[in-house]
Protein backbone atom coordinates (compact mmCIF):
# COMPACT_ATOMS: atom_id res chain seq x y z
CA UNK A 1 0.00 0.00 0.00
CA UNK A 2 0.94 3.64 -0.34
CA UNK A 3 1.84 5.45 2.91
CA UNK A 4 3.27 8.84 3.81
CA UNK A 5 6.18 8.22 6.17
CA UNK A 6 9.15 10.01 7.66
CA UNK A 7 12.49 8.32 8.27
CA UNK A 8 13.88 11.19 10.34
CA UNK A 9 12.30 14.06 12.29
CA UNK A 10 12.21 17.49 10.70
CA UNK A 11 10.05 19.90 8.73
CA UNK A 12 7.39 18.87 6.21
CA UNK A 13 10.07 18.05 3.61
CA UNK A 14 10.91 14.81 5.49
CA UNK A 15 7.55 13.30 4.43
CA UNK A 16 7.99 10.69 1.68
CA UNK A 17 5.53 8.61 -0.35
CA UNK A 18 6.53 4.98 0.34
CA UNK A 19 5.30 1.56 -0.75
CA UNK A 20 4.92 -0.53 2.41
CA UNK A 21 3.24 -3.84 3.29
CA UNK A 22 -0.47 -3.56 4.16
CA UNK A 23 -0.69 -4.02 7.95
CA UNK A 24 -2.13 -7.19 9.51
CA UNK A 25 -4.71 -6.38 12.21
CA UNK A 26 -4.09 -7.84 15.67
CA UNK A 27 -6.91 -9.53 17.64
CA UNK A 28 -8.25 -6.20 18.99
CA UNK A 29 -7.72 -4.31 15.76
CA UNK A 30 -9.64 -3.63 12.57
CA UNK A 31 -8.06 -3.14 9.16
CA UNK A 32 -9.66 -0.09 7.57
CA UNK A 33 -9.41 0.95 3.91
CA UNK A 34 -8.94 4.69 4.37
CA UNK A 35 -10.86 7.07 2.11
CA UNK A 36 -9.97 10.33 3.86
CA UNK A 37 -7.61 11.50 6.60
CA UNK A 38 -7.43 14.93 8.16
CA UNK A 39 -4.43 16.98 9.13
CA UNK A 40 -3.98 18.24 12.70
CA UNK A 41 -1.27 20.28 14.44
CA UNK A 42 -0.33 17.17 16.52
CA UNK A 43 0.73 15.41 13.29
CA UNK A 44 3.34 18.12 12.81
CA UNK A 45 4.53 18.05 16.45
CA UNK A 46 5.18 14.29 16.22
CA UNK A 47 6.87 14.71 12.82
CA UNK A 48 9.14 17.43 14.25
CA UNK A 49 10.22 15.10 17.09
CA UNK A 50 8.49 16.90 19.96
CA UNK A 51 7.17 13.49 20.97
CA UNK A 52 8.53 10.13 19.83
CA UNK A 53 6.00 7.78 18.20
CA UNK A 54 5.75 4.29 19.70
CA UNK A 55 7.57 1.99 17.32
CA UNK A 56 10.10 4.65 16.36
CA UNK A 57 11.00 5.64 12.79
CA UNK A 58 10.11 5.32 9.96
CA UNK A 59 6.62 6.33 11.04
CA UNK A 60 3.23 6.84 9.40
CA UNK A 61 1.61 9.86 11.07
CA UNK A 62 -1.98 11.05 11.07
CA UNK A 63 -4.58 10.99 13.86
CA UNK A 64 -7.90 11.13 11.98
CA UNK A 65 -9.43 8.94 9.32
CA UNK A 66 -12.67 7.70 7.78
CA UNK A 67 -13.04 4.58 5.68
CA UNK A 68 -14.47 1.09 5.30
CA UNK A 69 -13.70 -2.02 7.36
CA UNK A 70 -11.65 -4.46 5.28
CA UNK A 71 -10.89 -7.20 7.83
CA UNK A 72 -11.63 -7.65 11.52
CA UNK A 73 -9.37 -9.03 14.27
CA UNK A 74 -10.61 -12.11 16.15
CA UNK A 75 -11.68 -10.12 19.24
CA UNK A 76 -13.02 -7.01 17.47
CA UNK A 77 -16.49 -8.47 17.15
CA UNK A 78 -18.45 -5.20 17.14
CA UNK A 79 -17.39 -4.40 13.55
CA UNK A 80 -18.09 -6.23 10.29
CA UNK A 81 -16.46 -6.14 6.87
CA UNK A 82 -17.96 -3.27 4.85
CA UNK A 83 -18.87 -1.05 7.86
CA UNK A 84 -18.26 2.69 7.37
CA UNK A 85 -16.18 3.96 10.33
CA UNK A 86 -14.25 7.00 11.53
CA UNK A 87 -11.66 7.53 14.27
CA UNK A 88 -9.25 9.90 15.94
CA UNK A 89 -6.23 9.42 18.22
CA UNK A 90 -4.14 7.38 15.77
CA UNK A 91 -0.56 8.00 14.72
CA UNK A 92 1.25 8.19 18.06
CA UNK A 93 0.78 4.90 19.87
CA UNK A 94 0.59 3.02 16.56
CA UNK A 95 0.87 3.79 12.83
CA UNK A 96 -1.44 6.58 11.68
CA UNK A 97 -3.84 7.49 8.92
CA UNK A 98 -1.70 9.03 6.15
CA UNK A 99 -1.96 5.75 4.21
CA UNK A 100 -4.30 3.58 2.18
CA UNK A 101 -4.91 1.21 5.11
CA UNK A 102 -4.57 1.35 8.89
CA UNK A 103 -4.80 -1.39 11.52
CA UNK A 104 -6.74 0.64 14.09
CA UNK A 105 -7.60 -0.36 17.65
CA UNK A 106 -11.29 -1.33 17.58
CA UNK A 107 -11.92 0.76 20.71
CA UNK A 108 -11.11 3.98 18.85
CA UNK A 109 -13.54 3.36 15.93
CA UNK A 110 -17.10 4.64 15.70
CA UNK A 111 -19.74 4.05 13.00
CA UNK A 112 -19.85 6.73 10.29
CA UNK A 113 -23.47 7.38 9.24
CA UNK A 114 -24.27 7.02 5.52
CA UNK A 115 -25.26 10.71 5.32
CA UNK A 116 -21.73 11.81 6.35
CA UNK A 117 -19.03 11.71 3.67
CA UNK A 118 -15.62 10.19 4.37
CA UNK A 119 -14.06 13.65 4.01
CA UNK A 120 -16.49 15.10 6.57
CA UNK A 121 -15.97 12.18 8.97
CA UNK A 122 -12.19 12.44 8.86
CA UNK A 123 -12.32 16.23 9.16
CA UNK A 124 -14.66 16.14 12.15
CA UNK A 125 -13.02 13.41 14.23
CA UNK A 126 -10.32 15.14 16.30
CA UNK A 127 -11.87 18.60 16.09
CA UNK A 128 -15.26 17.56 17.48
CA UNK A 129 -13.91 14.92 19.88
CA UNK A 130 -11.49 17.46 21.39
CA UNK A 131 -14.05 20.24 21.59
CA UNK A 132 -16.67 17.91 23.14
CA UNK A 133 -14.27 16.43 25.66
CA UNK A 134 -12.82 19.86 26.47
CA UNK A 135 -16.16 21.56 27.05
CA UNK A 136 -18.24 18.74 28.50
CA UNK A 137 -15.87 16.31 30.24
CA UNK A 138 -13.21 18.77 31.39
CA UNK A 139 -14.96 22.15 31.32
CA UNK A 140 -18.20 20.97 32.99
CA UNK A 141 -20.12 23.27 30.65
CA UNK A 142 -23.71 23.71 31.82
CA UNK A 143 -26.86 25.20 30.30
CA UNK A 144 -26.81 28.95 30.89
CA UNK A 145 -23.03 29.18 31.25
CA UNK A 146 -21.09 31.77 29.30
CA UNK A 147 -18.40 30.09 27.22
CA UNK A 148 -15.35 31.69 25.59
CA UNK A 149 -13.88 29.79 22.64
CA UNK A 150 -10.40 31.12 21.89
CA UNK A 151 -9.79 30.62 18.15
CA UNK A 152 -13.39 30.06 17.07
CA UNK A 153 -12.62 29.76 13.35
CA UNK A 154 -10.05 26.94 13.61
CA UNK A 155 -10.57 23.19 13.47
CA UNK A 156 -11.27 22.64 17.18
CA UNK A 157 -12.67 26.15 17.67
CA UNK A 158 -15.38 25.93 15.02
CA UNK A 159 -16.52 22.61 16.50
CA UNK A 160 -16.48 24.08 20.01
CA UNK A 161 -18.65 27.04 19.06
CA UNK A 162 -21.30 24.67 17.68
CA UNK A 163 -21.17 22.28 20.64
CA UNK A 164 -21.33 25.07 23.24
CA UNK A 165 -24.22 26.79 21.44
CA UNK A 166 -26.19 23.52 21.24
CA UNK A 167 -25.45 22.85 24.91
CA UNK A 168 -27.31 26.03 25.79
CA UNK A 169 -24.36 28.28 26.59
CA UNK A 170 -23.93 31.92 25.65
CA UNK A 171 -20.93 31.75 23.32
CA UNK A 172 -18.31 34.40 22.70
CA UNK A 173 -15.55 33.35 20.31
CA UNK A 174 -12.34 35.04 19.23
CA UNK A 175 -11.11 35.31 15.64
CA UNK A 176 -8.84 37.66 13.73
CA UNK A 177 -11.26 37.95 10.81
CA UNK A 178 -14.37 36.50 9.18
CA UNK A 179 -16.68 37.29 12.05
CA UNK A 180 -19.64 36.21 9.90
CA UNK A 181 -18.33 32.62 9.61
CA UNK A 182 -17.96 32.27 13.38
CA UNK A 183 -21.39 33.84 14.01
CA UNK A 184 -22.93 31.39 11.52
CA UNK A 185 -21.70 28.54 13.76
CA UNK A 186 -23.80 29.84 16.65
CA UNK A 187 -21.57 32.35 18.42
CA UNK A 188 -23.50 35.14 20.11
CA UNK A 189 -20.49 37.44 19.85
CA UNK A 190 -17.14 37.44 18.05
CA UNK A 191 -14.13 39.42 19.28
CA UNK A 192 -10.64 39.88 17.82
CA UNK A 193 -8.09 38.10 20.05
CA UNK A 194 -5.41 40.71 19.26
CA UNK A 195 -4.60 43.84 21.28
CA UNK A 196 -4.27 44.64 24.97
CA UNK A 197 -7.97 45.21 25.54
CA UNK A 198 -9.30 41.78 24.46
CA UNK A 199 -10.58 41.07 27.99
CA UNK A 200 -12.58 44.31 28.08
CA UNK A 201 -14.07 43.61 24.65
CA UNK A 202 -14.99 40.02 25.60
CA UNK A 203 -16.71 41.19 28.81
CA UNK A 204 -18.50 43.96 26.96
CA UNK A 205 -19.69 41.52 24.26
CA UNK A 206 -21.38 39.17 26.75
CA UNK A 207 -22.18 41.63 29.51
CA UNK A 208 -19.97 40.05 32.19
CA UNK A 209 -17.46 37.31 33.02
CA UNK A 210 -17.24 33.84 31.48
CA UNK A 211 -17.64 30.44 33.15
CA UNK A 212 -15.73 28.20 30.76
CA UNK A 213 -12.85 28.96 28.39
CA UNK A 214 -11.74 26.52 25.70
CA UNK A 215 -8.20 27.72 25.05
CA UNK A 216 -6.42 26.78 21.82
CA UNK A 217 -3.56 29.31 22.18
CA UNK A 218 -2.81 29.42 25.89
CA UNK A 219 0.58 31.12 25.75
CA UNK A 220 -0.94 34.13 24.01
CA UNK A 221 -4.25 34.27 25.87
CA UNK A 222 -4.06 32.91 29.41
CA UNK A 223 -3.80 36.38 30.94
CA UNK A 224 -6.96 37.45 29.11
CA UNK A 225 -8.68 34.19 30.11
CA UNK A 226 -7.93 34.72 33.82
CA UNK A 227 -9.05 38.33 33.53
CA UNK A 228 -12.49 37.44 32.15
CA UNK A 229 -13.05 34.29 34.22
CA UNK A 230 -15.93 34.29 36.69
CA UNK A 231 -15.28 33.02 40.22
CA UNK A 232 -15.18 29.20 40.05
CA UNK A 233 -14.68 29.30 36.29
CA UNK A 234 -12.72 26.72 34.28
CA UNK A 235 -10.03 27.27 31.64
CA UNK A 236 -9.43 24.15 29.54
CA UNK A 237 -5.98 24.42 27.98
CA UNK A 238 -5.50 22.38 24.84
CA UNK A 239 -1.76 22.88 24.66
CA UNK A 240 0.64 24.70 22.44
CA UNK A 241 4.38 24.56 21.88
CA UNK A 242 5.06 27.41 24.32
CA UNK A 243 4.94 27.73 28.12
CA UNK A 244 2.16 29.67 29.84
CA UNK A 245 2.83 32.19 32.62
CA UNK A 246 0.43 32.62 35.52
CA UNK A 247 1.05 34.92 38.48
CA UNK A 248 -0.29 33.07 41.55
CA UNK A 249 -0.19 36.31 43.53
CA UNK A 250 -3.38 37.35 41.76
CA UNK A 251 -5.26 34.57 43.57
CA UNK A 252 -4.51 36.12 46.97
CA UNK A 253 -6.01 39.43 46.01
CA UNK A 254 -9.16 37.70 44.73
CA UNK A 255 -8.50 38.66 41.13
CA UNK A 256 -8.30 35.00 40.04
CA UNK A 257 -9.98 33.50 43.10
CA UNK A 258 -10.97 29.85 42.63
CA UNK A 259 -9.83 29.86 39.01
CA UNK A 260 -9.44 26.35 37.67
CA UNK A 261 -6.89 25.72 34.91
CA UNK A 262 -7.34 22.27 33.42
CA UNK A 263 -5.48 20.33 30.73
CA UNK A 264 -6.50 17.52 28.41
CA UNK A 265 -5.32 15.21 25.64
CA UNK A 266 -7.71 13.60 23.18
CA UNK A 267 -4.85 11.39 21.92
CA UNK A 268 -4.32 9.91 25.40
CA UNK A 269 -8.06 9.55 26.14
CA UNK A 270 -8.80 6.41 24.14
CA UNK A 271 -11.77 5.44 26.37
CA UNK A 272 -13.57 8.64 25.44
CA UNK A 273 -12.93 8.65 21.70
CA UNK A 274 -15.60 6.19 20.58
CA UNK A 275 -18.35 7.36 23.00
CA UNK A 276 -17.90 10.94 21.84
CA UNK A 277 -17.71 10.08 18.12
CA UNK A 278 -20.84 7.90 18.52
CA UNK A 279 -22.64 11.10 19.56
CA UNK A 280 -20.99 13.35 16.99
CA UNK A 281 -21.75 11.08 13.98
CA UNK A 282 -25.57 11.29 14.16
CA UNK A 283 -25.39 15.04 14.79
CA UNK A 284 -23.33 15.48 11.61
CA UNK A 285 -25.85 13.28 9.79
CA UNK A 286 -28.88 15.35 10.85
CA UNK A 287 -27.17 18.70 10.30
CA UNK A 288 -26.97 19.70 13.99
CA UNK A 289 -23.20 19.98 13.50
CA UNK A 290 -21.37 20.92 10.31
CA UNK A 291 -17.69 20.53 9.62
CA UNK A 292 -16.04 23.24 7.54
CA UNK A 293 -13.56 21.91 4.98
CA UNK A 294 -11.09 24.63 4.10
CA UNK A 295 -8.98 22.58 1.70
CA UNK A 296 -8.59 19.03 0.38
CA UNK A 297 -5.33 17.58 -0.92
CA UNK A 298 -4.45 14.18 -2.41
CA UNK A 299 -2.59 11.85 0.00
CA UNK A 300 0.67 12.41 -1.90
CA UNK A 301 0.48 16.15 -1.09
CA UNK A 302 0.57 15.58 2.68
CA UNK A 303 3.58 17.89 3.10
CA UNK A 304 1.73 20.76 1.44
CA UNK A 305 -1.36 20.02 3.55
CA UNK A 306 0.69 20.16 6.76
CA UNK A 307 2.23 23.49 5.73
CA UNK A 308 -1.29 24.74 5.11
CA UNK A 309 -2.41 23.76 8.63
CA UNK A 310 0.51 25.63 10.17
CA UNK A 311 -0.18 28.77 8.14
CA UNK A 312 -2.15 31.50 9.87
CA UNK A 313 -5.78 32.30 9.26
CA UNK A 314 -7.11 28.81 8.56
CA UNK A 315 -10.85 28.18 8.89
CA UNK A 316 -12.09 24.71 9.68
CA UNK A 317 -10.17 21.66 8.50
CA UNK A 318 -7.60 20.53 5.95
CA UNK A 319 -8.10 16.97 4.67
CA UNK A 320 -6.29 14.34 2.61
CA UNK A 321 -8.37 12.42 0.09
CA UNK A 322 -6.98 8.92 -0.11
CA UNK A 323 -9.16 7.18 -2.69
N1 LIG B 1 -5.09 18.78 23.89
C1 LIG B 1 -5.69 18.19 22.88
O1 LIG B 1 -6.23 17.09 23.02
C2 LIG B 1 -5.73 18.88 21.54
C3 LIG B 1 -6.50 18.34 20.49
C4 LIG B 1 -6.57 19.04 19.28
C5 LIG B 1 -5.87 20.23 19.12
N2 LIG B 1 -5.09 20.69 20.14
C6 LIG B 1 -4.33 21.95 20.00
O2 LIG B 1 -5.26 23.01 19.88
C7 LIG B 1 -4.73 24.01 19.02
C8 LIG B 1 -5.73 24.28 17.90
O3 LIG B 1 -5.88 23.14 17.09
P1 LIG B 1 -6.69 23.22 15.72
O4 LIG B 1 -6.72 21.89 15.12
O5 LIG B 1 -7.97 23.93 15.95
O6 LIG B 1 -5.71 24.17 14.88
P2 LIG B 1 -6.03 25.12 13.67
O7 LIG B 1 -7.25 24.69 12.93
O8 LIG B 1 -4.77 25.23 12.89
O9 LIG B 1 -6.33 26.53 14.39
C9 LIG B 1 -6.14 27.65 13.65
C10 LIG B 1 -6.89 28.80 14.32
O10 LIG B 1 -6.15 29.33 15.40
C11 LIG B 1 -6.54 30.68 15.54
N3 LIG B 1 -5.54 31.47 16.27
C12 LIG B 1 -4.26 31.73 15.92
N4 LIG B 1 -3.64 32.47 16.88
C13 LIG B 1 -4.57 32.66 17.86
C14 LIG B 1 -4.56 33.34 19.11
N5 LIG B 1 -3.47 33.96 19.56
N6 LIG B 1 -5.68 33.31 19.85
C15 LIG B 1 -6.81 32.70 19.42
N7 LIG B 1 -6.88 32.04 18.25
C16 LIG B 1 -5.78 32.03 17.48
C17 LIG B 1 -6.70 31.17 14.10
O11 LIG B 1 -7.72 32.14 14.12
P3 LIG B 1 -7.89 33.27 12.97
O12 LIG B 1 -7.96 32.52 11.67
O13 LIG B 1 -9.19 33.90 13.31
O14 LIG B 1 -6.70 34.17 13.09
C18 LIG B 1 -7.09 29.90 13.33
O15 LIG B 1 -8.44 29.93 12.95
C19 LIG B 1 -3.38 23.49 18.54
O16 LIG B 1 -2.36 24.00 19.36
C20 LIG B 1 -3.50 22.00 18.74
O17 LIG B 1 -2.27 21.35 18.89
C21 LIG B 1 -5.01 20.05 21.33
Amino acid sequence: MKAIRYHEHGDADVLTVDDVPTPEPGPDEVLVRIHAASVNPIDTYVREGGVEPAGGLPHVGGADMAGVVETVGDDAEEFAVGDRVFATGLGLFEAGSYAEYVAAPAESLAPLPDEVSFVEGAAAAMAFATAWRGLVHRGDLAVGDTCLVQGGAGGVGHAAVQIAAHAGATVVATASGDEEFVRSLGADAVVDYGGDDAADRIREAVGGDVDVVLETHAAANVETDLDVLARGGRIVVLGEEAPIRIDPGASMTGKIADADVRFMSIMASRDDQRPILERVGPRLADGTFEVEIEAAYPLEAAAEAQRHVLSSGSHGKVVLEVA
Side-chain angles (χ1 to χ4, degrees):
M1 70 168 187
K2 205 183 290 173
I4 307 300
R5 297 198 300 181
Y6 41 98
H7 299 247
E8 57 183 324
H9 292 296
D11 64 20
D13 293 335
V14 299
L15 296 177
T16 56
V17 184
D18 292 346
D19 265 321
V20 301
T22 302
E24 293 280 337
D28 298 320
E29 291 180 332
V30 171
L31 182 69
V32 179
R33 172 79 170 96
I34 296 175
H35 289 284
S38 85
V39 182
N40 290 285
I42 182 80
D43 307 346
T44 70
Y45 307 154
V46 182
R47 185 207 68 219
E48 283 164 359
V51 47
E52 197 60 33
L57 302 184
H59 179 63
V60 181
D64 286 345
M65 67 90 196
V68 174
V69 172
E70 183 93 0
T71 56
V72 174
D74 289 343
D75 299 332
E77 291 162 348
E78 61 273 54
F79 293 99
V81 173
D83 284 354
R84 301 173 89 249
V85 291
F86 69 142
T88 189
L90 308 172
L92 181 56
F93 307 112
E94 64 285 294
S97 60
Y98 289 14
E100 291 178 316
Y101 292 89
V102 66
E107 63 177 335
S108 65
L109 296 175
L112 183 69
D114 289 342
E115 299 84 349
V116 185
S117 72
F118 293 117
V119 163
E120 290 169 327
M126 176 171 284
F128 278 82
T130 301
W132 186 298
R133 190 168 190 279
L135 292 170
V136 180
H137 298 217
R138 299 292 293 136
D140 298 324
L141 185 71
V143 176
D145 277 354
T146 298
C147 177
L148 167 61
V149 177
Q150 287 278 18
V156 174
H158 93 296
V161 170
Q162 296 177 66
I163 293 166
H166 282 283
T170 297
V171 183
V172 53
T174 60
S176 66
D178 207 349
E179 181 176 332
E180 271 321 296
F181 168 61
V182 183
R183 274 192 189 275
S184 75
L185 303 168
D188 298 284
V190 182
V191 169
D192 193 328
Y193 52 75
D196 292 338
D197 60 344
D200 292 339
R201 288 182 282 110
I202 289 165
R203 224 183 267 105
E204 195 180 317
V206 288
D209 292 335
V210 310
D211 303 294
V212 178
V213 181
L214 193 75
E215 181 49 81
T216 58
H217 293 80
N221 298 324
V222 75
E223 216 174 305
T224 298
D225 298 342
L226 288 165
D227 193 332
V228 300
L229 201 67
R231 195 179 179 105
R234 289 81 67 199
I235 301 170
V236 181
V237 173
L238 294 185
E240 207 182 355
E241 287 185 301
I244 59 174
R245 189 181 166 278
I246 296 173
D247 172 11
S251 66
M252 293 188 294
T253 61
K255 195 166 172 353
I256 58 171
D258 294 351
D260 219 334
V261 182
R262 302 175 179 182
F263 298 85
M264 67 155 274
S265 162
I266 196 64
M267 297 290 290
S269 304
R270 193 141 265 172
D271 287 357
D272 288 335
Q273 292 162 2
R274 182 196 290 172
I276 295 174
L277 292 183
E278 282 175 341
R279 286 160 178 78
V280 170
R283 288 168 172 81
L284 290 168
D286 71 12
T288 303
F289 297 154
E290 286 183 22
V291 58
E292 174 79 6
I293 312 294
E294 178 172 86
Y297 293 85
L299 177 65
E300 297 78 3
E304 203 182 329
Q306 287 198 347
R307 285 188 207 100
H308 186 149
V309 162
L310 294 180
S311 68
S312 61
S314 62
H315 284 181
K317 294 291 303 179
V318 172
V319 293
L320 298 173
E321 289 180 296
V322 182

